[in-house]
Amino acid sequence: MNVQVKCALMCAVYMICVFKSCEARSKRIRPVIHKSLLVVDEQGTEVITDASELTENAMTKSRKRIFMDDHHFVKRVALVESSLNKTSKEGGLWNVDECAFKSTQNKRRENKQLATLHKNIRRTFGVTWSKIKYRDLRRPLYSVLAARIILEMAVPSIPRGLRNQARLWLETYHECEGKHSHPQVWEDTKGKFIRVVKNSCASSFLKCEHVCRESSKGRAKCECQYGYTLQSDGVSCSDGASRSPSGTKAPSPELAETGCGNGLKCDHKCIEVDGVPQCACQDGYQLHMNGFTCDDIDECRHSPCSQLCKNTPGSFSCSCRAGFKIQSDKVTCEEEKTKCSINDIACIQRCTEFGNCSCPPGTAMGPDGQTCIEVNECSLFKGVCHQNCINTPRGYRCTCSKGYELNVNGISCSDIDECARGIHSCHHNCRNVPGSYFCSCSKGFQLSDDLKSCVDINECALYPGICPLPSRCRNTIGGHTCDCPKGFVNHRHKICIDEDECANSNGGCDQVCQNYPGSYRCSCKYGFMLQSDRKSCKDIDECSRYSFLCQHKCVNTPGSYKCTCPSGLRQHLNGFMCL
């Protein structure tokens, strides 16, 4: 392949990459907000994880993260606050102090960083943060956003180390509560933070290669899938048996149980693997890292049931919600055949007798246990929709006000840019505003009564003195001009000055040209007479016109005359008489 072909291919690949990156940047990243994050006083590890990951992955239109990398700190704060039973206040799952919450809304006009956070939160999550009240933090989404804003404003970065995160939690995140003056109190509180994080699989402290499990004693540990052995680091797994005392592997069921003559005391049973005695566990248990204790496996963490799961020692059991029935596989749930409508009295009585009655979606069993009543989710879960909530027979749906459109998450709304989409009715210019737009006109035009079309402004009638004398104003479409009368020329700044016609070819005059404001006139020298064209001059024949000019003979000359005398006489000094 020659050099020219290679260059052409590289240019083509580069242009494709640039186009794709630009296309990606033009699309706004709109996260999917789980409904559980908008329910008041909603709790649980899944809610904490969903809220933390939602804010961690939130990006602006230019694909930049809204919040800094927290190294799982935000998630750990909620886990610690929950374990200490401090999330029942209005601060929500993240137990945000009221004075810290107020700092997220005060002086945002003076603080550019805070103003930028408010703008990005509004554009990404559809939440106008300045309108959020402290009591709204009982909803997980608002609580985690408050915690994020507090951290963004308080520290330039969040540390990785667990001990440093505990210090940040005590001294900065809960700064409003005051610092612990006694060193022992600080150490005890810091120790609680560290213990909760280390013993929680949801805190992402243990980097388990396969599975992280929490034992009944409240301790988190890593486990390996069948056929793999947990290594001495406590997190990684390797294929095959490990002869290291710190590595454990679940024994193969095909191995025959034998007695252990070396005095090894196993919790369940002892087997030999490649001639080496090892402890093994019964089904539903997994060997502990110590090599002889068996811990119960919580099968429910892998969601083996289609609905409800209950862990039992060495096993688990599945059950179904009301209106469903467990199937023969003891795992799957299917809806009961008996399903009553709201007004089917006979069906309701039959259901009450057999105890297997359920209500249609969007309804719930009434207090009497026999009547299905409609559930208004819009009233039950206030704030589930960012703008308008409409109750439906089978649930609810979110709608947006005029000028907004529903996002793909079905909850938040985004402004419709009518100007960019070309769906406006403006005659000249269009400017978008949240929820609407307004029109404006170009220079020389004004908006008509319909606030959309533009009409010409008659500057001559509106501003009588807009053109200085002697110029005259003439209206044009979108403007005006100042015209000068005959004999004047436009100098500058709409000023008319006299035109000196005599300066150009003597104004066309035969002899003398006289200029005056706005015009000029021609005249002739003495002895000449101006003709009818008012420009040319003709000599006056004084001898023909005035016979008395000379005593004897008169001779005409250009512009004058002279007298002559007969032979033998001489002319007098007066030029008239002869002597």
Short mmCIF file of all heavy atoms in Angstrom, two decimals, residues 443-445 456-466 473-481:
data_model
loop_
_atom_site.label_atom_id
_atom_site.label_comp_id
_atom_site.label_asym_id
_atom_site.label_seq_id
_atom_site.Cartn_x
_atom_site.Cartn_y
_atom_site.Cartn_z
N LYS A 443 -33.43 46.26 13.23
CA LYS A 443 -33.37 47.71 13.33
C LYS A 443 -34.23 48.34 12.25
O LYS A 443 -34.20 47.93 11.08
CB LYS A 443 -31.93 48.19 13.22
CG LYS A 443 -31.76 49.67 13.42
CD LYS A 443 -30.30 50.08 13.31
CE LYS A 443 -30.12 51.59 13.51
NZ LYS A 443 -28.71 52.00 13.40
N GLY A 444 -35.02 49.34 12.62
CA GLY A 444 -35.90 50.02 11.68
C GLY A 444 -37.29 49.43 11.62
O GLY A 444 -38.13 49.91 10.85
N PHE A 445 -37.55 48.38 12.44
CA PHE A 445 -38.87 47.76 12.49
C PHE A 445 -39.33 47.70 13.95
O PHE A 445 -38.53 47.78 14.88
CB PHE A 445 -38.84 46.34 11.91
CG PHE A 445 -38.54 46.30 10.44
CD1 PHE A 445 -37.23 46.30 9.98
CD2 PHE A 445 -39.57 46.25 9.51
CE1 PHE A 445 -36.95 46.27 8.63
CE2 PHE A 445 -39.30 46.21 8.15
CZ PHE A 445 -37.99 46.22 7.71
N ASP A 456 -42.64 48.28 9.45
CA ASP A 456 -41.62 49.31 9.28
C ASP A 456 -41.92 50.53 10.15
O ASP A 456 -43.07 50.92 10.35
CB ASP A 456 -41.57 49.72 7.80
CG ASP A 456 -40.63 50.88 7.57
OD1 ASP A 456 -39.45 50.76 7.93
OD2 ASP A 456 -41.10 51.92 7.06
N ILE A 457 -40.87 51.13 10.71
CA ILE A 457 -40.99 52.37 11.49
C ILE A 457 -40.79 53.55 10.56
O ILE A 457 -39.77 53.63 9.85
CB ILE A 457 -39.94 52.40 12.62
CG1 ILE A 457 -40.16 51.25 13.60
CG2 ILE A 457 -40.01 53.74 13.36
CD1 ILE A 457 -39.08 51.15 14.67
N ASN A 458 -41.77 54.50 10.51
CA ASN A 458 -41.63 55.71 9.71
C ASN A 458 -40.88 56.75 10.53
O ASN A 458 -41.45 57.53 11.30
CB ASN A 458 -43.01 56.23 9.30
CG ASN A 458 -42.92 57.36 8.28
OD1 ASN A 458 -41.87 57.97 8.10
ND2 ASN A 458 -44.02 57.65 7.60
N GLU A 459 -39.56 56.72 10.39
CA GLU A 459 -38.73 57.63 11.19
C GLU A 459 -39.02 59.10 10.89
O GLU A 459 -38.89 59.97 11.77
CB GLU A 459 -37.25 57.35 10.96
CG GLU A 459 -36.77 55.98 11.44
CD GLU A 459 -36.95 54.88 10.43
OE1 GLU A 459 -37.56 55.15 9.38
OE2 GLU A 459 -36.48 53.77 10.67
N CYS A 460 -39.41 59.41 9.63
CA CYS A 460 -39.66 60.80 9.25
C CYS A 460 -40.86 61.37 10.01
O CYS A 460 -40.85 62.54 10.43
CB CYS A 460 -39.90 60.89 7.75
SG CYS A 460 -38.47 60.34 6.76
N ALA A 461 -41.91 60.54 10.20
CA ALA A 461 -43.08 61.01 10.92
C ALA A 461 -42.87 60.95 12.43
O ALA A 461 -43.40 61.79 13.17
CB ALA A 461 -44.30 60.17 10.52
N LEU A 462 -42.10 59.95 12.89
CA LEU A 462 -41.91 59.76 14.32
C LEU A 462 -40.91 60.76 14.89
O LEU A 462 -41.07 61.23 16.03
CB LEU A 462 -41.43 58.32 14.59
CG LEU A 462 -41.40 57.85 16.04
CD1 LEU A 462 -42.80 57.89 16.64
CD2 LEU A 462 -40.83 56.44 16.12
N TYR A 463 -39.89 61.11 14.10
CA TYR A 463 -38.86 62.05 14.55
C TYR A 463 -38.74 63.18 13.52
O TYR A 463 -37.94 63.09 12.57
CB TYR A 463 -37.51 61.34 14.71
CG TYR A 463 -37.58 60.06 15.51
CD1 TYR A 463 -37.45 58.82 14.88
CD2 TYR A 463 -37.79 60.08 16.88
CE1 TYR A 463 -37.51 57.64 15.62
CE2 TYR A 463 -37.86 58.92 17.62
CZ TYR A 463 -37.72 57.70 16.98
OH TYR A 463 -37.79 56.55 17.70
N PRO A 464 -39.53 64.26 13.66
CA PRO A 464 -39.56 65.33 12.64
C PRO A 464 -38.20 65.96 12.38
O PRO A 464 -37.90 66.36 11.25
CB PRO A 464 -40.55 66.34 13.23
CG PRO A 464 -41.40 65.54 14.17
CD PRO A 464 -40.50 64.49 14.74
N GLY A 465 -37.35 66.11 13.35
CA GLY A 465 -36.07 66.77 13.15
C GLY A 465 -34.92 65.83 12.92
O GLY A 465 -33.76 66.19 13.20
N ILE A 466 -35.21 64.62 12.46
CA ILE A 466 -34.14 63.64 12.29
C ILE A 466 -33.16 64.05 11.20
O ILE A 466 -31.98 63.71 11.24
CB ILE A 466 -34.74 62.24 12.01
CG1 ILE A 466 -33.65 61.18 12.13
CG2 ILE A 466 -35.40 62.18 10.64
CD1 ILE A 466 -34.19 59.77 12.09
N CYS A 473 -36.36 64.57 4.77
CA CYS A 473 -36.40 63.17 5.20
C CYS A 473 -37.27 62.35 4.25
O CYS A 473 -38.38 62.76 3.90
CB CYS A 473 -36.93 63.08 6.63
SG CYS A 473 -36.98 61.38 7.27
N ARG A 474 -36.75 61.18 3.86
CA ARG A 474 -37.52 60.26 3.00
C ARG A 474 -37.47 58.86 3.64
O ARG A 474 -36.40 58.30 3.86
CB ARG A 474 -36.92 60.22 1.59
CG ARG A 474 -37.65 59.25 0.65
CD ARG A 474 -37.19 59.47 -0.79
NE ARG A 474 -35.76 59.33 -0.94
CZ ARG A 474 -35.15 58.14 -1.19
NH1 ARG A 474 -35.87 57.03 -1.28
NH2 ARG A 474 -33.84 58.11 -1.31
N ASN A 475 -38.64 58.30 3.99
CA ASN A 475 -38.72 57.00 4.66
C ASN A 475 -38.41 55.87 3.68
O ASN A 475 -38.82 55.91 2.52
CB ASN A 475 -40.11 56.80 5.26
CG ASN A 475 -40.17 55.52 6.10
OD1 ASN A 475 -39.43 55.38 7.06
ND2 ASN A 475 -41.05 54.61 5.73
N THR A 476 -37.69 54.86 4.17
CA THR A 476 -37.40 53.65 3.40
C THR A 476 -37.75 52.43 4.24
O THR A 476 -37.98 52.55 5.44
CB THR A 476 -35.91 53.60 3.00
OG1 THR A 476 -35.11 53.59 4.20
CG2 THR A 476 -35.52 54.79 2.14
N ILE A 477 -37.78 51.24 3.65
CA ILE A 477 -38.10 50.01 4.38
C ILE A 477 -36.96 49.68 5.34
O ILE A 477 -35.84 49.39 4.93
CB ILE A 477 -38.34 48.83 3.41
CG1 ILE A 477 -39.47 49.16 2.44
CG2 ILE A 477 -38.66 47.57 4.20
CD1 ILE A 477 -40.81 49.41 3.13
N GLY A 478 -37.25 49.80 6.64
CA GLY A 478 -36.25 49.50 7.65
C GLY A 478 -35.31 50.65 7.94
O GLY A 478 -34.35 50.47 8.69
N GLY A 479 -35.57 51.84 7.40
CA GLY A 479 -34.69 52.96 7.67
C GLY A 479 -35.22 54.25 7.06
O GLY A 479 -36.42 54.42 6.83
N HIS A 480 -34.31 55.19 6.74
CA HIS A 480 -34.68 56.47 6.13
C HIS A 480 -33.42 57.07 5.51
O HIS A 480 -32.29 56.65 5.81
CB HIS A 480 -35.26 57.42 7.18
CG HIS A 480 -34.24 57.97 8.11
ND1 HIS A 480 -33.71 57.22 9.13
CD2 HIS A 480 -33.61 59.19 8.16
CE1 HIS A 480 -32.82 57.94 9.78
NE2 HIS A 480 -32.74 59.14 9.22
N THR A 481 -33.63 58.07 4.64
CA THR A 481 -32.52 58.81 4.05
C THR A 481 -32.82 60.30 4.12
O THR A 481 -33.98 60.72 4.13
CB THR A 481 -32.30 58.41 2.58
OG1 THR A 481 -33.50 58.67 1.82
CG2 THR A 481 -31.93 56.94 2.46
#
